[in-house]
Amino acid sequence: MNLSSIGNGAHNTRSINVCVNLLTEWASDQARLKAEMSRYALVTGLALVFAAVTVPVLERVGAQESSRQRALESRLAGLQAQLRQVQAEKDVVAPKVERAQVLAETRGRFDRFLGELYVVLDAAKTGLAFATAKIEVRSAEIVVNCRADAESYEAAATFADLAGRTPNKVSTLSSTRPSTLLSSNGVSFEYLKKVPLP
């Protein structure tokens, strides 16, 4: 070590080459930049290859779906037209069907109405004479009222049994009293029958 006249040691002079350090740092930056650019180029290349493969496939699938959608829309339009036509026909036919149902129901009830009257009238055998026979519909039931004279109580009871042979709610001789109109042992009676309407 070199000493000065006062005894201090002199510093060694070192030279620092700044250019070399900057060049080394620049070279490492360049290498890092090239590695990043290579990575980005690889990722971009892979993305381009993937796009080149998938885009045509997706376009083909999209075109197929588009044509299928158009076909379905066309079919839907046809079905909607058919539905409108059927609805229009239904609107025309519905009142006729309702009228036919009402008519069939009315005919059925009328046939039942007449049938009950015929059953009661057919139950009248010899030895019996009607004074009145009335049939009407009251509170959803057919009501048959008869007033008649019979040669005997047995003839009146037989009439009631025969007249009540169809299903009913009530079938009875409502009142009896002696009557000599047909015979000395004769009776005058009233008959009541109630049949529920279906």
Side-chain angles (χ1 to χ4, degrees), residues 112-118 120 133-137 142-145:
R112 179 85 184 270
F113 184 82
L114 285 181
E116 289 300 327
L117 180 62
Y118 290 149
V120 171
K134 184 170 76 170
I135 184 166
E136 60 186 342
V137 176
I142 298 170
V143 179
V144 181
N145 256 323

Side-chain angles (χ1 to χ4, degrees), residues 10-187:
H11 295 290
N12 287 338
T13 311
R14 291 187 188 173
S15 65
I16 298 173
N17 193 346
V18 176
C19 291
V20 172
N21 290 341
L22 288 175
L23 186 59
T24 305
E25 190 175 340
W26 180 81
S28 65
D29 284 345
Q30 287 297 316
R32 206 171 332 122
L33 182 63
K34 281 182 184 177
E36 286 179 11
M37 285 176 62
S38 296
R39 198 170 358 162
Y40 289 141
L42 180 64
V43 169
T44 305
L46 289 174
L48 288 173
V49 168
F50 180 74
V53 170
T54 57
V55 165
V57 172
L58 291 176
E59 284 179 352
R60 193 167 40 251
V61 169
Q64 289 172 350
E65 289 302 317
S66 247
S67 67
R68 188 180 306 165
Q69 182 180 356
R70 282 192 298 275
L72 289 174
E73 286 172 354
S74 172
R75 186 173 176 196
L76 176 63
L79 290 174
Q80 286 174 338
Q82 287 179 355
L83 178 62
R84 283 192 297 273
Q85 182 180 357
V86 167
Q87 188 67 38
E89 290 173 3
K90 179 189 164 228
D91 292 342
V92 169
V93 171
K96 293 178 183 175
V97 170
E98 288 174 12
R99 279 195 299 272
Q101 287 174 342
V102 168
L103 184 61
E105 185 177 333
T106 304
R107 280 185 180 153
R109 288 186 176 182
F110 182 71
D111 291 344
R112 179 85 184 270
F113 184 82
L114 285 181
E116 289 300 327
L117 180 62
Y118 290 149
V119 166
V120 171
L121 294 178
D122 286 344
K125 302 298 179 188
T126 56
L128 190 120
F130 283 108
T132 61
K134 184 170 76 170
I135 184 166
E136 60 186 342
V137 176
R138 272 190 255 148
S139 303
E141 60 187 13
I142 298 170
V143 179
V144 181
N145 256 323
C146 298
R147 198 164 50 80
D149 291 292
E151 291 178 347
S152 64
Y153 181 80
E154 288 78 19
T158 301
F159 165 77
D161 287 340
L162 291 174
R165 69 180 180 258
T166 55
N168 57 70
K169 284 168 62 176
V170 174
S171 174
T172 184
L173 293 174
S174 58
S175 69
T176 59
R177 60 187 174 284
S179 170
T180 56
L181 184 66
L182 295 179
S183 73
S184 57
N185 290 334
V187 292

